[in-house]
Amino acid sequence: EQIAARPVDRQILQDTAMNYRVLDVNKFGDASPSYYHKMIGGYHAAKLTRYQDLIDHQIGKNNTEVLNMLNTKYIIVDDNSAMENPDAMGNAWWVEKVDFVDTPNEEMAFLNDFKADSAAVADARFKPVLENKAGVKMPGDTIYETTYAPNELNYHAVSQNGGVAVFSEIYFPWGWTATIDGKPAEIARVNYVLRALYIPAGTHHINFKF
């Protein structure tokens, strides 16, 4: 009763896919849309500084590639309608190239003009994890989320040659761990705020747990 569903909320909730995000243009900083959806915006008194940086420099400037990497499947334009974004990257994807930079400003600047489906950028300190690990995607290479919970995520990955997978989840090293087929894996940060893993060739199960 406190947060009545709008027609647009009911429209989006017809999509029963497990995990996607919504951008409400007119209520970006409002907490109420988060009652129904996983939001790109919202309200919290103590936002992560890195995410606020992304809002200030990219989301606020309507950088569509950044919205795609955040898996923005729906954009609410008013209380009655939403547009579906066909270019949302989904929960995880393979990239063919990772560029390395030395400063956060360079990392942010990379996002001004990039293609989320093929390229990523990382701080140079993640070279030991990701350098020379990305490669050309082959027919049949896939990665998708199999279960979702706020504190645990599972994925199924298949690739001919192995490579770097980007996950549309915020990089937060204090508490999150990753395993590939039950063996510990190091989580890298790419695209200023997201997670990435090097995944070997073959078929694998990936788990993130807080």
Side-chain angles (χ1 to χ4, degrees):
E1 292 178 357
Q2 293 296 321
I3 306 174
R6 301 168 292 175
V8 69
D9 296 319
R10 291 191 287 269
Q11 173 194 338
I12 294 171
L13 290 171
Q14 292 179 26
D15 186 336
T16 57
M18 182 167 49
N19 188 15
Y20 57 86
R21 298 193 182 93
V22 177
L23 170 65
D24 191 323
V25 175
N26 296 319
K27 292 189 174 183
F28 184 85
D30 192 324
S32 60
S34 297
Y35 186 83
Y36 293 102
H37 316 291
K38 299 182 181 78
M39 301 301 297
I40 293 296
Y43 174 80
H44 196 283
K47 283 193 183 83
L48 293 172
T49 302
R50 273 191 174 269
Y51 195 73
Q52 185 63 53
D53 288 346
L54 199 71
I55 291 170
D56 293 340
H57 295 281
Q58 303 296 345
I59 298 172
K61 297 177 181 179
N62 196 33
N63 184 326
T64 55
E65 287 297 308
V66 167
L67 293 176
N68 292 340
M69 81 178 193
L70 295 174
N71 195 18
T72 310
K73 191 174 182 182
Y74 292 97
I75 299 172
I76 296 175
V77 293
D78 57 46
D79 286 351
N80 296 304
S81 60
M83 298 185 300
E84 185 169 355
N85 175 19
D87 298 319
M89 291 301 303
N91 305 117
W93 60 95
W94 302 100
V95 291
E96 298 185 336
K97 181 184 179 184
V98 179
D99 284 3
F100 295 94
V101 296
D102 294 320
T103 69
N105 286 346
E106 291 175 290
E107 195 173 353
M108 183 66 79
F110 179 94
L111 301 180
N112 292 336
D113 184 22
F114 82 119
K115 292 296 183 184
D117 63 349
S118 59
V121 63
D123 187 281
R125 70 186 177 93
F126 292 105
K127 279 186 176 182
V129 185
L130 301 178
E131 191 172 27
N132 299 321
K133 298 293 178 66
V136 176
K137 289 178 277 190
M138 304 297 289
D141 287 1
T142 59
I143 181 166
Y144 57 89
E145 194 171 62
T146 57
T147 68
Y148 169 84
N151 63 340
E152 186 170 4
L153 306 153
N154 288 282
Y155 303 81
H156 180 79
V158 178
S159 66
Q160 290 190 36
N161 301 315
V164 174
V166 176
F167 299 83
S168 189
E169 298 291 339
I170 298 298
Y171 175 83
F172 190 80
W174 303 282
W176 281 99
T177 59
T179 59
I180 300 173
D181 301 328
K183 298 177 181 178
E186 186 170 352
I187 306 170
R189 190 190 69 232
V190 297
N191 297 355
Y192 205 78
V193 295
L194 298 184
R195 305 175 197 180
L197 292 177
Y198 164 66
I199 302 173
T203 301
H204 299 285
H205 170 250
I206 293 95
N207 171 267
F208 286 103
K209 184 177 288 187
F210 187 82

